[in-house]
Amino acid sequence: MKNETQILVIGNGMVGYKFCEKLKKKDPSGRFKITVLGEEPRPAYDRVHLSEYFATRSADHLTMAPLEWYAENNINLVLGNPVVLIDREKKSVTTFSGDVYAYDKLILATGSAAFVPPIKGVEKDGIYVYRTIEDLEMMINQAQKSKVGAVIGGGLLGLEAAKALLDLGLKPHVIEFASRLMPRQLDEAGSKILQEKLESLGLSIHLNKSTSYFDGEESVTAMQFADDTRLDLDMVVVSAGIKPRDEVAKKAGLTVGPRGGIEVNDTLQTSDPNIFAIGECALHWGMIYGLVAPGYEMAEVVAENLINEHSKEFRSFDMSTKLKLIGVDVASFGDAFGAEEGSVAITYENKDKGIYKRLNLSADKKRVIGGILVGDAESYNMLLQMVNNKMSLPPDPEDLILGSRGEGKSEGGNAGVMSLPDEALICSCEGITKGAICSAVIDQNISDLASMKKCTKAGTGCGGCVPMVNDLISETLKSQGKVVKKVLCEHFDYSRQELLDLIKINAYKNYDLVLTELGKGHGCETCKPAVASILASVWNEVILKQATIQDSNDRFLANLQKGGTYSVVPRVAGGEITADKLIVLGEVAKKYDLYCKITGGQRIDLFGAPVHLLPDIWEELIHAGFESGHAYGKSLRTVKSCVGSTWCRFGIQDAVSYAIRIEDRYKGIRSPHKVKMAVSGCVRECAEAQSKDFGIIATEKGWNLYVCGNGGAKPQHALLFATDLDDETCIQYIDRIMIFYIRTAEPLMRTATWINKLEGGIDYLREVIINDSLGMCSQFENELQLLVDTYHCEWKEVVENPELRKRFSTFINSDETDETMAFSEMRTQKKPANWNA
Amino acid sequence: MKNATTVTTEITWYKAGTIKDVPENGGACAMIQGNQIAIFNFTRSNEWFATDNMCPHKKQMILSKGMIGDISGEPKVACPFHKKSFSLKDGNCLSGDDYSIKTYPIKVEDNLIYIGIKE
């Protein structure tokens, strides 16, 4: 006689999976035996991030848990076999293939399907929905033969689908029946800003449009609208809402809502007490919750009640949401439209930057009750917390959306997180409160995000709360007196700046000595490269003398790429190269079968070299007059230039000559992070100097110097530092700033972040560099000059040194090459095969 | 040529190279019986460790090139690709992921390194 309870879950989507995970965690003894019946051919995947499939084309990447997970947890997972019948009398279900499964408790997690409006011609080829990986694959196929695509529906999912079409190289049109985009989340003004932003990105948006029929023979070729307009196109994606999957429940006689959805009570029980419904198929007091967080909460409630009967209830759930639509932040929280009686709205609109913010205050003006953010949603997490925890307003509530406008920059208020009550929900996907996060830090010694994720699961869902979780970790640590200052890592109780000073004063030249004298333990991947960088910045010795403390790329003086091969980038100062040198690059690439690509920094990258061939390749390059390009180092990368006054009929200064001079001066200098520079020969700025750490732009009288810009994930324009400088002064300023940056930045901090954190910002920097307010400028110049004078080509050192050369072998006990390296062909060149296979 | 030497109860020891072949406080890779084995030399404490060379995250043959060190005294290696870190004692991932790497017995005799493989 067994005491097991048979749990049968219909549906293996995100919520169905989460239910299994939660129940397993709560039931370590295995009292419940779980069987999952899924309709799709693959295990549950992350539908929230479905659009990432277009970039990765890998379903594995989206998988919630691999098949092994189900096996390890003793869950019987049956895929590709939809349930067709529930027999409530016999307490069993029958699948499409005729298999019968018995249950004690049945969990319906059937989710939803795309709602397809009954428009004439909707059955034609070329019309898709946006729901499953199979849908996406069909869209990808169709997109290859299409130019114009339309999405029906301007809601959240519709805009996601439009982004997908854009990524697939189509010109997307968005067709919305209502008078604005995202009508459920945004008001008129917010929608307008979003629309303008999306239109500037290449989307055509049609509002107030109702579709009469789809035209075309077998495949769709046009859409005809009620206002007698017409749109010629090659494919259509329907994203007009969702429809709960309640067919099987309905057939079994369970109560369903008039517009679909399986009715449930507060314990998610359906009209049959042994059957529960969770996620998008459940209708809770007339409401379908189409987001993942409430679905997870439903899974939690049912799992908890199976363990302890009637211990938990599902309450109406906050539908606040924040997302990035085609690069535009959009958020809507609490009472977004200010429906509460007597509420007052504060709005801010900046059409130039595409920002709209709305804050709804309660009638007594004491609390925030909700709002809308478009274009900049950085304050979303904090505002949502203020709403949910009924926190009182600051004296000037507009500061909440504008930031405090006193002198200097505000710090973005991460101290604010500590003012939240302990029960404030931080991670709504996993239901983790501030109290739980803080106590994990205090009681379980969690001090970083990765361990926090493992310990509490906070931040593992949509990831939106990660900045807040990070702030909570660091603020809690601070309150514990654990990090009073920014120390490098557990092995050094010093900041980078302190360490640099100590290394210099004591003339320490190797990591081992530094660790013995100033640190403890064996070191790690944080302090080793940081100290390596300091040693190189201070002494400029050959870095491979201490190869094992160098970061991945520095260790082999080349860039580690997919598949474990390396890429080779010789320096091409200013992007100027002779025909003879181009021929050498071509010949070397051909001889060693290397993939060729022009880089963003105006040079040539040769990919696919196994480690043992790097010295041979470089020997040939050095023989032909090339030198290391330091593409692998946290050091000067390139000085990009436009063609300048020598050839360009608009040019006013010789940008190329100056760029070459600058590149030759700063090449090889190691710094806290990489440094990029550019020189433009006139105000047209073809070298894009304003996106660089140092950007130089010609004027009639000389050069304007811009500093501390960068591209990347968080682009930041460089700031104008000084104007109309002559050649020498411009270089003098760069010398001084370089050393000031090297001395004071934290590890891996670009100049843009450095200046953002520098108290007093650009004004202070001018004081130090131009007015010499610290009296350090001559010392800065001397230090920089030492680095220039001790320049050496690292690859030349290796090529000429048999000891160093020996380190470039694959195996210590065999001359074999790594046979696991595999390549395939793409556009007649090689590429690595089987990444993540 | 096979390098099998001593056979204890169930472990066979294979010669992987000399201690000079592995950089101080660093790692190197040896080919043992068709498997890539990463060997790590903790010179500061005179300890040696051996693991699979493959990082389970992206299935890359790379760990021997990773930086070694410790976390709260636990010896570890960080993968050069995405800095996933693994304990060299038990092979468990220390950066919050569910996978782990295989570790092997290792010993040094007369400046020669031996890796133990369970037959």
Side-chain angles (χ1 to χ4, degrees):
Chain A
M1 175 74 206
K2 55 175 190 169
N3 243 343
E4 277 179 351
T5 306
Q6 293 291 333
I7 302 289
L8 192 59
V9 183
I10 304 184
N12 188 226
M14 295 176 81
V15 173
Y17 160 77
K18 192 51 80 174
F19 169 78
C20 297
E21 185 193 288
K22 287 187 184 269
L23 184 60
K24 271 290 152 191
K25 211 169 171 186
K26 293 174 195 286
D27 174 40
S29 60
R31 190 152 62 92
F32 295 97
K33 175 88 189 70
I34 305 177
T35 300
V36 180
L37 301 173
E39 179 184 68
E40 287 187 60
R42 56 185 101 244
Y45 52 89
D46 182 353
R47 240 184 271 274
V48 175
H49 295 106
L50 198 58
S51 61
E52 285 171 18
Y53 185 76
F54 290 104
T56 62
R57 303 280 160 101
S58 148
D60 288 352
H61 176 78
L62 294 171
T63 302
M64 305 288 293
L67 288 171
E68 298 87 68
W69 179 86
Y70 295 91
E72 277 161 22
N73 283 287
N74 208 16
I75 294 171
N76 180 20
L77 175 66
V78 183
L79 292 172
N81 202 359
V83 168
V84 291
L85 190 80
I86 302 172
D87 185 337
R88 289 164 52 198
E89 292 275 294
K90 291 190 186 142
K91 288 172 85 174
S92 71
V93 307
T94 308
T95 66
F96 182 74
S97 64
D99 299 326
V100 177
Y101 295 87
Y103 66 82
D104 295 311
K105 303 281 177 195
L106 179 65
I107 317 294
L108 302 173
T110 46
S112 67
F115 166 69
V116 180
I119 301 169
K120 200 178 133 205
V122 76
E123 71 294 337
K124 289 189 197 304
D125 288 348
I127 302 178
Y128 303 92
V129 297
Y130 185 73
R131 192 75 194 149
T132 65
I133 287 181
E134 281 68 31
D135 295 332
L136 264 55
E137 275 169 354
M138 289 191 284
M139 279 169 65
I140 290 169
N141 279 335
Q142 177 74 23
Q144 285 167 354
K145 35 191 177 167
S146 304
K147 286 202 177 80
V148 179
V151 176
I152 300 185
L156 208 147
L157 265 178
L159 293 177
E160 278 269 330
K163 151 107 171 97
L165 292 186
L166 197 65
D167 289 346
L168 289 169
L170 271 70
K171 183 165 172 23
H173 292 259
V174 175
I175 318 292
E176 169 59 49
F177 183 72
S179 61
R180 62 177 194 265
L181 293 174
M182 299 185 72
R184 285 181 188 202
Q185 288 86 11
L186 300 183
D187 61 8
E188 200 72 47
S191 280
K192 193 86 199 141
I193 290 272
L194 176 65
Q195 183 181 347
E196 282 166 14
K197 197 94 192 204
L198 296 180
E199 282 169 344
S200 75
L201 294 167
L203 267 66
S204 302
I205 292 168
H206 311 269
L207 302 172
N208 299 308
K209 282 266 177 203
S210 118
T211 310
S212 308
Y213 59 90
F214 296 100
D215 211 351
E217 295 286 302
E218 264 182 25
S219 299
V220 65
T221 55
M223 279 169 80
Q224 180 69 43
F225 302 108
D227 59 5
D228 271 350
T229 53
R230 186 182 165 85
L231 177 64
D232 289 326
L233 43 72
D234 312 296
M235 68 185 285
V236 176
V237 180
V238 180
S239 180
I242 58 169
K243 178 180 74 183
R245 294 284 305 273
D246 57 8
E247 338 52 281
V248 180
K250 202 168 169 180
K251 217 160 83 185
L254 296 175
T255 312
V256 297
R259 275 176 297 160
I262 307 159
E263 277 191 10
V264 291
N265 63 16
D266 285 343
T267 57
L268 288 324
Q269 223 163 19
T270 65
S271 52
D272 180 330
N274 289 316
I275 304 180
F276 298 81
I278 56 178
E280 289 179 333
C281 65
L283 183 69
H284 180 252
W285 301 120
M287 182 84 182
I288 297 279
Y289 290 92
L291 292 179
V292 69
Y296 281 8
E297 175 63 15
M298 290 179 182
E300 165 71 25
V301 169
V302 175
E304 184 60 35
N305 286 339
L306 284 171
I307 304 283
N308 305 304
E309 233 172 297
H310 297 301
S311 59
K312 207 162 182 173
E313 290 189 344
F314 180 79
R315 298 282 168 206
S316 70
F317 203 89
D318 181 27
M319 291 298 275
S320 300
T321 177
K322 176 190 153 186
L323 66 158
K324 222 180 186 59
L325 277 171
I326 324 186
V328 185
D329 276 337
V330 177
S332 147
F333 56 97
D335 180 358
F337 300 105
E340 191 180 299
E341 178 125 25
S343 75
V344 193
I346 300 179
T347 59
Y348 165 75
E349 189 181 69
N350 182 333
K351 291 219 164 191
D352 177 41
K353 290 187 172 158
I355 294 173
Y356 173 76
K357 299 182 183 186
R358 168 179 179 157
L359 216 54
N360 302 318
L361 308 186
S362 58
D364 59 9
K365 294 180 194 147
K366 288 198 174 129
R367 293 182 297 107
V368 188
I369 55 169
I372 291 167
L373 303 169
V374 178
D376 170 14
E378 208 169 334
S379 46
Y380 168 77
N381 279 326
M382 202 56 212
L383 289 171
L384 178 61
Q385 293 295 345
M386 293 192 74
V387 173
N388 290 348
N389 298 294
K390 304 195 166 32
M391 290 162 72
S392 51
L393 282 171
D396 296 309
E398 66 269 25
D399 288 353
L400 293 171
I401 49 176
L402 298 175
S404 122
R405 289 166 316 294
E407 283 293 301
K409 280 193 166 181
S410 77
E411 266 298 294
N414 56 347
V417 293
M418 293 308 275
S419 62
L420 296 173
D422 275 353
E423 57 281 5
L425 194 62
I426 303 294
C427 173
S428 47
C429 295
E430 293 287 340
I432 314 292
T433 61
K434 177 201 163 197
I437 291 170
C438 294
S439 69
V441 174
I442 295 165
D443 303 332
Q444 301 183 52
N445 282 320
I446 301 292
S447 59
D448 61 285
L449 182 65
S451 334
M452 182 60 77
K453 282 183 171 174
K454 200 163 191 184
C455 172
T456 63
K457 286 203 164 278
T460 55
C462 70
C465 63
V466 163
M468 258 187 151
V469 174
N470 267 328
D471 286 347
L472 279 172
I473 296 172
S474 68
E475 290 298 320
T476 311
L477 284 172
K478 243 187 234 171
S479 72
Q480 297 279 296
K482 278 185 184 159
V483 251
V484 268
K485 56 181 179 183
K486 284 242 179 248
V487 300
L488 220 49
C489 65
E490 66 170 83
H491 305 103
F492 288 98
D493 266 334
Y494 297 103
S495 68
R496 182 183 177 279
Q497 189 174 352
E498 289 168 330
L499 214 48
L500 185 142
D501 290 340
L502 287 166
I503 284 171
K504 209 172 184 169
I505 293 164
N506 293 301
Y508 294 145
K509 296 198 171 178
N510 80 69
Y511 174 81
D512 230 25
L513 185 62
V514 175
L515 185 60
T516 307
E517 295 297 328
L518 304 173
K520 57 172 187 281
H522 289 277
C524 66
E525 72 280 7
T526 303
C527 60
K528 283 182 174 182
V531 172
S533 162
I534 293 173
L535 291 170
S537 291
V538 175
W539 310 117
N540 207 17
E541 295 186 334
V542 180
I543 63 163
L544 283 199
K545 281 188 183 168
Q546 301 180 67
T548 59
I549 60 164
Q550 308 297 335
D551 215 341
S552 317
N553 292 342
D554 268 331
R555 171 143 187 212
F556 294 98
L557 304 179
N559 295 49
L560 176 61
Q561 307 291 1
K562 283 184 176 180
T565 61
Y566 288 83
S567 72
V568 168
V569 189
R571 188 167 295 289
V572 178
E576 183 184 82
I577 188 164
T578 62
D580 281 337
K581 277 190 157 177
L582 274 175
I583 289 168
V584 170
L585 288 180
E587 279 170 347
V588 168
K590 210 164 191 176
K591 176 169 172 187
Y592 294 94
D593 187 21
L594 304 175
Y595 166 85
C596 304
K597 169 112 179 48
I598 311 280
T599 72
Q602 302 188 329
R603 43 195 193 173
I604 293 164
D605 205 339
L606 309 174
F607 291 75
V611 73
H612 69 277
L613 288 178
L614 287 171
D616 296 348
I617 292 170
W618 273 105
E619 189 163 15
E620 298 199 23
L621 292 172
I622 284 165
H623 182 71
F626 283 103
E627 58 182 350
S628 167
H630 295 94
Y632 46 80
K634 305 298 179 210
S635 56
L636 175 71
R637 294 288 169 84
T638 69
V639 182
K640 185 174 176 177
S641 73
C642 70
V643 76
S645 57
T646 28
W647 288 89
C648 176
R649 65 186 198 279
F650 298 110
I652 50 176
Q653 302 278 0
D654 181 0
V656 179
S657 298
Y658 200 51
I660 292 172
R661 181 175 170 197
I662 301 269
E663 185 155 347
D664 277 337
R665 181 167 183 80
Y666 300 106
K667 68 187 176 189
I669 294 180
R670 284 198 155 64
S671 39
H673 210 306
K674 63 186 167 190
V675 170
K676 299 181 176 187
M677 307 195 190
V679 182
S680 275
C682 81
V683 71
R684 284 169 191 76
E685 239 283 69
C686 296
E688 298 167 324
Q690 288 167 94
S691 66
K692 304 289 188 251
D693 297 272
F694 294 88
I696 300 165
I697 301 175
T699 67
E700 293 290 345
K701 295 177 197 156
W703 308 100
N704 281 351
L705 176 60
Y706 290 77
V707 298
C708 304
N710 65 212
K714 239 186 153 181
Q716 182 166 324
H717 276 144
L719 303 164
L720 181 58
F721 179 76
T723 54
D724 294 327
L725 304 174
D726 59 49
D727 287 10
E728 304 311 317
T729 312
C730 186
I731 284 177
Q732 188 182 43
Y733 287 172
I734 299 174
D735 280 5
R736 293 174 182 179
I737 298 173
M738 268 297 249
I739 296 293
F740 191 41
Y741 163 62
I742 286 171
R743 278 176 165 234
T744 58
E746 284 165 35
L748 300 180
M749 182 186 263
R750 288 287 297 270
T751 58
T753 318
W754 174 66
I755 197 137
N756 292 348
K757 298 211 166 177
L758 190 68
E759 224 164 295
I762 186 88
D763 295 328
Y764 175 69
L765 187 65
R766 279 196 203 99
E767 279 299 307
V768 174
I769 303 301
I770 303 177
N771 300 332
D772 198 10
S773 62
L774 298 177
M776 299 285 281
C777 285
S778 66
Q779 202 178 327
F780 289 171
E781 286 168 26
N782 292 339
E783 285 176 19
L784 196 284
Q785 193 57 46
L786 173 92
L787 296 177
V788 174
D789 295 341
T790 50
Y791 168 79
H792 50 269
C793 169
E794 291 161 346
W795 267 111
K796 191 158 180 272
E797 307 276 342
V798 172
V799 166
E800 291 171 355
N801 181 334
E803 269 308 302
L804 292 179
R805 254 184 115 130
K806 239 176 78 182
R807 293 289 183 208
F808 289 78
S809 61
T810 308
F811 302 115
I812 56 174
N813 62 341
S814 138
D815 291 331
E816 287 173 58
T817 51
D818 185 352
E819 283 172 8
T820 64
M821 278 180 191
F823 302 94
S824 54
E825 202 188 270
M826 187 186 230
R827 292 182 293 277
T828 76
Q829 294 205 74
K830 77 170 175 187
K831 71 166 188 121
N834 304 327
W835 174 255
N836 197 15
Chain B
M1 188 182 79
K2 289 274 176 282
N3 290 326
T5 51
T6 4
V7 180
T8 55
T9 42
E10 76 279 9
I11 291 175
T12 313
W13 292 96
Y14 293 91
K15 195 169 88 184
T18 73
I19 58 170
K20 285 230 167 352
D21 293 328
V22 184
E24 291 191 356
N25 297 307
C29 186
M31 187 64 109
I32 308 282
Q33 296 293 93
N35 294 317
Q36 295 192 19
I37 309 286
I39 298 168
F40 301 102
N41 175 5
F42 281 64
T43 323
R44 294 177 70 86
S45 55
N46 193 25
E47 286 176 289
W48 291 79
F49 298 96
T51 70
D52 276 338
N53 194 33
M54 191 182 79
C55 176
H57 172 222
K58 293 284 177 184
K59 312 234 183 316
Q60 298 285 300
M61 291 295 187
I62 196 73
L63 289 178
S64 61
K65 297 190 178 104
M67 251 181 283
I68 60 170
D70 76 286
I71 177 166
S72 314
E74 176 112 353
K76 62 161 193 165
V77 61
C79 175
F81 273 99
H82 304 93
K83 298 278 145 67
K84 302 281 177 189
S85 192
F86 299 92
S87 160
L88 295 176
K89 284 221 159 112
D90 55 21
N92 285 333
C93 181
L94 300 170
S95 39
D97 292 293
D98 283 335
Y99 33 73
S100 60
I101 56 172
K102 200 170 161 190
T103 58
Y104 298 89
I106 182 167
K107 64 179 183 183
V108 174
E109 284 172 6
D110 299 331
N111 292 337
L112 292 174
I113 304 163
Y114 296 89
I115 306 293
I117 306 279
K118 282 188 184 149
E119 297 295 305

